[in-house]
Amino acid sequence: MIIDVHGHAGPWFFSTDVGSVELNLALMDRYGIDRQIVSASEAVTYDVVSGNRWLAEVLDAHPRLLGYVVVNPNDLGGAARELEKYRPAGRFVGVKVHTTYPDRPLLSAEVRDALGLAAEAGLPALVHTWDDAGLSTRGPVLDGDPALFRTLIDLNVNALTELTTLLMPAMVARGHGAVVNIASTGGYIPAPYLAVYAATKAYVVSLTQALWAETRGTGVRVVAVSPGPTKTPMNPRGTRSAEAVAATVARALSGNGPAVIDGKANALTAFLFGRLLPTRFTLAVARRVMARSGD
């Protein structure tokens, strides 16, 4: 079964010619998608109560669709009421929190408390960020912007740690769940000219492996997945596709090890340069490669 876990229903204010439920279903048929978990566009952008109410009616009429209860982190009382209203029916299977429209950063107390409500309800949470999107820094550390480094560390270290430790206890209490933390091959190999980014990913690998050991036997799957250079808008020179990385994540979930590296070539590189070869040689090669890739 193929499930699309991030869909929307209803028109967006910036593109009113898309968003009908009929279009969702037609696209699902075209691409072989069995189920789709959606949030109401109105609930995300404008009115949580009205949007969730409209989506409840849609879900009753279309069994292939499941829903996210959208909650506003600025109104935790209202969020609790929405969860109490829609969770029992079983058609809403998760909670969605958007950081941009409520103007609350990912690390804010409001977002943390909203995720706490999701954890108490026993529902998975989808956190949709725009301003906190993928971030990297390239160049010598001494030429870098300390404020940008701080933002990178907040995103890759602090936010990941807070979200993981906030949501995992409820998974352990239930006896099932999964945590996939996205690291990088840079977490295994020091990366001159990308030093802070690689250091944050080394933290992700180390933390996730330790959590894997701490939660053995609880029924919760914990794994770090480390892509190499992946072709994305932020990195058009990437050598692996996003689809290949997604397939690796899916396989990692069905495995039992603490860490997986995407792609045989990436895994071999990480082994050679991260474990086998002398550190001084590894750094000299990495310095040349990273300097050349920045041209």
Side-chain angles (χ1 to χ4, degrees):
M1 175 178 287
I2 299 176
I3 302 175
D4 176 2
V5 300
H6 188 181
H8 303 93
W12 290 93
F13 63 88
F14 50 76
S15 184
T16 57
D17 59 334
V18 299
S20 71
V21 174
E22 290 73 19
L23 178 59
N24 285 50
L25 295 170
L27 291 174
M28 290 169 66
D29 289 337
R30 180 185 301 176
Y31 295 107
I33 298 170
D34 300 287
R35 294 286 186 92
Q36 186 179 57
I37 309 177
V38 299
S39 58
S41 304
E42 179 186 10
V44 171
T45 60
Y46 180 64
D47 188 329
V48 165
V49 174
S50 176
N52 286 335
R53 182 172 58 243
W54 173 83
L55 183 59
E57 297 174 358
V58 169
L59 298 181
D60 286 341
H62 299 283
R64 292 176 66 192
L65 300 180
L66 299 168
Y68 288 109
V69 179
V70 177
V71 299
N72 183 348
N74 293 318
D75 181 11
L76 293 178
R81 289 190 295 273
E82 291 295 288
L83 285 170
E84 184 179 0
K85 183 188 306 180
Y86 294 113
R87 180 175 176 270
R91 298 293 293 146
F92 286 85
V93 296
V95 177
K96 183 169 184 179
V97 182
H98 208 296
T99 63
T100 302
Y101 294 110
D103 194 25
R104 295 297 177 188
L106 183 60
L107 290 179
S108 66
E110 292 82 1
V111 170
R112 183 178 63 246
D113 290 343
L115 292 175
L117 288 175
E120 290 174 7
L123 293 175
L126 172 64
V127 182
H128 192 157
T129 63
W130 285 348
D131 294 338
D132 300 307
L135 177 67
S136 180
T137 54
R138 182 177 292 275
V141 172
L142 297 184
D143 293 340
D145 179 356
L148 186 58
F149 292 153
R150 187 180 306 113
T151 299
L152 181 63
I153 293 168
D154 278 343
L155 178 63
N156 287 353
V157 175
N158 296 337
L160 178 139
T161 303
E162 288 195 24
L163 291 174
T164 300
T165 55
L166 177 66
L167 298 175
M168 276 195 69
M171 297 182 191
V172 172
R174 291 195 304 270
H176 65 87
V179 174
V180 179
N181 285 330
I182 301 300
S184 167
T185 51
Y188 294 87
I189 308 168
Y193 306 114
L194 208 59
V196 177
Y197 173 83
T200 64
K201 293 303 185 177
Y203 173 89
V204 175
V205 173
S206 179
L207 174 74
T208 307
Q209 289 179 326
L211 284 173
W212 175 88
E214 292 178 5
T215 55
R216 293 285 284 167
T218 65
V220 178
R221 173 75 174 117
V222 180
V223 62
V225 176
S226 295
T230 305
K231 192 171 185 178
T232 65
M234 190 175 74
N235 183 27
R237 299 183 181 181
T239 55
R240 292 278 289 178
S241 70
E243 291 79 8
V245 175
T248 296
V249 171
R251 288 193 297 271
L253 281 171
S254 63
N256 56 22
V260 172
I261 296 174
D262 172 59
K264 293 180 180 179
N266 289 332
L268 178 61
T269 299
F271 174 75
L272 290 175
F273 287 87
R275 295 185 180 182
L276 189 63
L277 298 172
T279 301
R280 292 183 65 175
F281 175 80
T282 294
L283 288 171
V285 173
R287 182 175 182 272
R288 287 197 295 271
V289 170
M290 294 304 297
R292 189 164 60 246
S293 67
D295 294 339

